[in-house]
Amino acid sequence: MRTDQTSPFQAIRAVDYTVIFVRDMDAMRQFYENVMQFPMARALSANWIEYQIGPNTFVLSRAARTANDAPIPQGTAALQLAFKVDVEQVDACAKELSRQDIPIMSPPTDHDFGHRTLFFRDPDGNLLEIYAEI
């Protein structure tokens, strides 16, 4: 541990890219483009698709593009993503998911810690949360 100098990592102020290594690119693209309505920023190849979500570049990628890791086993979530919205949008998102026959794991719920949350999964099984501060 460094005690005499400032770490160069203290210069990091944001997460610029979020990359999901996908198992099923077609299903994941359909989900994020048509269900989540994420606007595609660019496709560098069939294995690297970028969406611009606020200041973050959200990427769907096949693992071989940047790493040789084994794919996450089917039925295993690789990550959880939380998307902040206004309070009324939590319920609106739940209705839209139901309209599109996307299973909801946990319906809109108010919590003591000050969030209203909604949980569901993407086609690869990753846990997605829509939340609002209440």
Side-chain angles (χ1 to χ4, degrees), residues 103-116:
I104 294 174
M105 294 178 56
S106 176
T109 305
D110 292 340
H111 299 278
D112 293 340
F113 52 84
H115 283 182
R116 180 165 182 77

Side-chain angles (χ1 to χ4, degrees), residues 19-103:
V19 179
I20 298 179
F21 294 125
V22 303
R23 288 184 285 262
D24 184 338
M25 181 64 84
D26 291 338
M28 292 288 278
R29 282 194 66 183
Q30 187 280 331
F31 180 83
Y32 283 101
E33 292 174 17
N34 299 327
V35 175
M36 299 295 289
Q37 294 288 306
F38 287 0
M40 187 188 350
R42 64 184 179 162
L44 295 182
S45 74
N47 296 322
W48 184 274
I49 310 298
E50 296 182 359
Y51 304 89
Q52 196 63 46
I53 311 302
N56 186 270
T57 301
F58 180 85
V59 178
L60 301 179
S61 175
R62 295 197 195 279
R65 169 105 172 118
T66 57
N68 290 322
D69 294 348
I72 301 293
Q74 196 68 23
T76 303
L79 56 90
Q80 175 179 334
L81 297 172
F83 302 100
K84 186 177 181 181
V85 297
D86 293 329
V87 174
E88 61 276 359
Q89 292 304 105
V90 175
D91 293 273
C93 288
K95 287 178 186 172
E96 180 62 15
L97 290 170
S98 293
R99 187 186 74 74
Q100 294 196 42
D101 295 322
I102 305 296

